[in-house]
Amino acid sequence: MWLYAGRRIVLTIPILLGVTIICFALVQIAPGDPIQNLLSPTATAQDAARLRAAYGLDQPLMVQYFIWLGKVCVGNLGMSISDNVPVAGEVLHAFVNTIVIALISVVLAFVVSMIFGVIAAYRTGSLADRLITAVAVFGISVPPFWLGVILVIFFAVDLSWLPATGMGASGSETFSYFRWADFKFAIMPIIALALPPLGIMTRTTRSSIAEILNQDFIQTLRAKGLSEAQVIVHAVVNIMPQAVAMLGLQLGYLIGGSVLVETVFTWPGTGYLLNKAVLTRDIPLLQGTILVLATAFVLINLVVDLAQSLIDPRLKRS
Amino acid sequence: MTDAVADSSLRPPASRPASAVRVRSYWGSVWHRLRYDYVTLFCLVLIIAIVLTAVFAPLISPMDPYKSSMAHRLRPIGYHNYLLGTDEQGRDILSRMLYGGRVSLTMGILPVALATIIGGLFGVVAGYFGGKVNMLIMRTMDVFFAFPSVLLAVAISGSLGGGITNQLLTLTVVLIPPLCRVAETATSQVRTMDFVDAARSTGASTLSILFTHVLINVMSPVLVYASTLVSVSIILASGLSFLGLGVSPPTADWGLMLSTLRQSIYVQPIVSAIPGVAILITSIAFNLLSDGLRQAMDVRA
């Protein structure tokens, strides 16, 4: 097991390096010359060359990459163009807002999908199964940002139950998830984020549980006189390692995929930051945010794999 | 949308035993099973209908999708001749939806087609030759898997800037790695089959083995998987357009329409949500169709 954990951690390093290469390349594929934007219209070619040298842009790409990588390793992600503040601070601040609602959404989706999946698998073909499958297909097919708009129309415009956007009067500085006045700002983003993973996880749970229920040992359990509830518990425990892997993967996708939902609700997370970067063509901000999110995604996958090897006795033995 | 790529990769398309299958009878049996699957057939008909309305948009649109009218801005459903109301510039929503389908459907199908060819090619090469070639191709793909699909799309599109060509390029790049992985898995399974060895021992060239034996067997899992990506691609594309990274404003596109109508949800909530219904229906239809195809093409089922 320790050998597996060690190897898994070592394998993460080249992936992370690859991530930095792609993030570095993002700046290279962006059209336009960054130096031209900084120069005054009257600047000469010498001025341009001097500025280029000052920013290290006259170096070969490889050298530029390693200089940039060195800065990234000490947490320097450059300055954002629009606000002229360090990107790292801005991203970290937004990242907290993103990860909290992503966590709440994914746990909510997980719990509901386990219940739905078990019901659907236990009564395959029943009305409940069909309804649950319909919900799952809807969750997978719906564009999350449109779902957000629909939620706003229903709960904010028509019913006036929930605030449409933002993080409330207290702002992100004093926001508390344990205060109702604040938390109600988070409800719609959480629901909009939770539905797509709910659909995917329900489908996966349904098919895994259905497969387990067809196996011989379930027959044995029933023959031993276990109640149906106990049999189901056995089936659920059996798919737990898989379910945890699924949970982690979905969490990763949520922190990366929340950009549209956060834009709809102007939730001040990384997605909102990305949208701002796109609108103002703030490439350093875009690059920094992507780098942090992709790194988080890789690390979450690592933790999930390690957790899976811990809780799955079948993996432990190998 | 965030996770549909992951979902499909969680459950790789069922690989069928490649041997003992005559191509004709296989497709015949697939059709036989599809014929009684009314949900799938309905989705197929629905998709054909949607595609036709987009293709013949100039003929069936009740109005000019670009003609704005300041006097008739944000009218409700059924107002005068505006069957689905008007948008914030007084343009007919129905006509814009029909025209918008052209861009949105293209963005669902074309990137998948391109990615299937490119990703499939890389996957077959990696799977067939193995060793260092495999290592190089597949480890490069692994790096792209380190990005959630939406994030990768926003990253590339955000750097390149908006526009329809950049959107097409972005979506293709995002879809290549999962298709490459599926093709690689299928190819490396076929490669070890006896009939490939037999072909090689008779002196067949690598190219002819690839084309006559490998490709035909890799095709069906790859195509089934690609069909699941169409709705992913439509949703991704509409998301990019929603962020302003798609077609430029006067052009009609479902995602862009949602984005510009968002400001009007307090004035005309229902009208503002209509373009999303088109995305939703199309995406559900493609999802159910690919589910049906997968089941019909799974010989074990």
Side-chain angles (χ1 to χ4, degrees), chain B residues 106-138:
Chain B
T106 309
M107 281 305 158
I109 296 165
L110 196 56
V112 175
L114 290 175
T116 304
I117 296 170
I118 303 171
L121 195 71
F122 276 119
V124 167
V125 168
Y128 188 78
F129 293 102
K132 281 200 178 111
V133 180
N134 182 299
M135 180 90 169
L136 181 72
I137 294 176
M138 296 321 287

Side-chain angles (χ1 to χ4, degrees), chain B:
Chain B
M1 118 183 233
T2 47
D3 335 89
V5 171
D7 170 46
S8 320
S9 56
L10 272 177
R11 306 185 297 127
S15 58
R16 59 199 176 81
S19 55
V21 169
R22 272 176 298 135
V23 178
R24 273 299 276 282
S25 68
Y26 169 67
W27 289 107
S29 67
V30 167
W31 170 240
H32 183 74
R33 253 169 286 166
L34 270 183
R35 230 172 45 189
Y36 299 102
D37 187 351
Y38 297 117
V39 175
T40 307
L41 284 184
F42 176 75
C43 289
L44 185 65
V45 172
L46 189 64
I47 288 169
I48 293 173
I50 295 173
V51 170
L52 287 180
T53 58
V55 171
F56 294 109
L59 295 179
I60 55 175
S61 285
M63 291 183 201
D64 179 357
Y66 298 106
K67 190 174 158 286
S68 53
S69 151
M70 283 301 127
H72 297 300
R73 283 164 45 191
L74 291 168
R75 296 300 171 171
I77 291 182
Y79 176 85
H80 284 302
N81 302 325
Y82 303 103
L83 211 55
L84 292 180
T86 61
D87 70 0
E88 74 288 343
Q89 293 188 31
R91 296 172 294 198
D92 181 39
I93 298 234
L94 177 62
S95 307
R96 285 185 70 73
M97 294 247 295
L98 294 172
Y99 272 89
R102 304 181 133 194
V103 178
S104 299
L105 289 173
T106 309
M107 281 305 158
I109 296 165
L110 196 56
V112 175
L114 290 175
T116 304
I117 296 170
I118 303 171
L121 195 71
F122 276 119
V124 167
V125 168
Y128 188 78
F129 293 102
K132 281 200 178 111
V133 180
N134 182 299
M135 180 90 169
L136 181 72
I137 294 176
M138 296 321 287
R139 294 297 84 78
T140 311
M141 295 298 164
D142 279 351
V143 173
F144 285 92
F145 277 105
F147 293 83
S149 48
V150 182
L151 189 66
L152 187 59
V154 172
I156 301 174
S157 208
S159 297
L160 288 176
I164 198 157
T165 333
N166 284 345
Q167 193 181 20
L168 181 64
L169 189 72
T170 302
L171 292 171
T172 309
V173 171
V174 170
L175 296 176
I176 287 176
L179 279 162
C180 179
R181 193 177 266 188
V182 171
E184 191 253 359
T185 312
T187 311
S188 46
Q189 278 167 5
V190 173
R191 188 173 70 125
T192 54
M193 298 272 174
D194 289 341
F195 67 87
V196 175
D197 283 337
R200 203 175 289 125
S201 64
T202 61
S205 73
T206 305
L207 264 186
S208 93
I209 293 177
L210 274 178
F211 276 101
T212 53
H213 299 292
V214 176
L215 215 55
I216 204 102
N217 286 300
V218 171
M219 207 113 94
S220 83
V222 170
L223 285 184
V224 168
Y225 183 72
S227 74
T228 68
L229 290 181
V230 175
S231 79
V232 174
S233 184
I234 289 180
I235 293 189
L236 266 181
S238 67
L240 287 178
S241 300
F242 188 74
L243 290 176
L245 290 171
V247 294
S248 8
T251 317
D253 168 270
W254 295 341
L256 188 64
M257 286 173 76
L258 266 184
S259 162
T260 52
L261 281 167
R262 217 184 100 214
Q263 273 77 41
S264 315
I265 54 171
Y266 289 93
V267 190
Q268 278 299 348
I270 298 183
V271 170
S272 326
I274 288 176
V277 178
I279 305 176
L280 179 67
I281 291 177
T282 315
S283 142
I284 288 182
F286 272 110
N287 266 330
L288 291 178
L289 177 70
S290 62
D291 271 3
L293 276 183
R294 178 163 44 202
Q295 271 170 22
M297 291 172 93
D298 188 353
V299 170
R300 291 171 306 176

Side-chain angles (χ1 to χ4, degrees), chain A residues 102 105-106 109-110 113 139-140 144 190-204 246-247 249-251 253-254, chain B residues 1-3:
Chain A
S105 307
V106 86
F110 179 72
S113 72
I140 292 166
I190 287 172
I191 296 176
L193 280 180
L195 210 63
L198 172 69
I200 291 165
M201 293 200 286
T202 301
R203 266 163 62 138
T204 316
M246 175 177 84
L247 178 82
L249 195 65
Q250 295 301 325
L251 176 65
Y253 277 95
L254 273 193
Chain B
M1 118 183 233
T2 47
D3 335 89

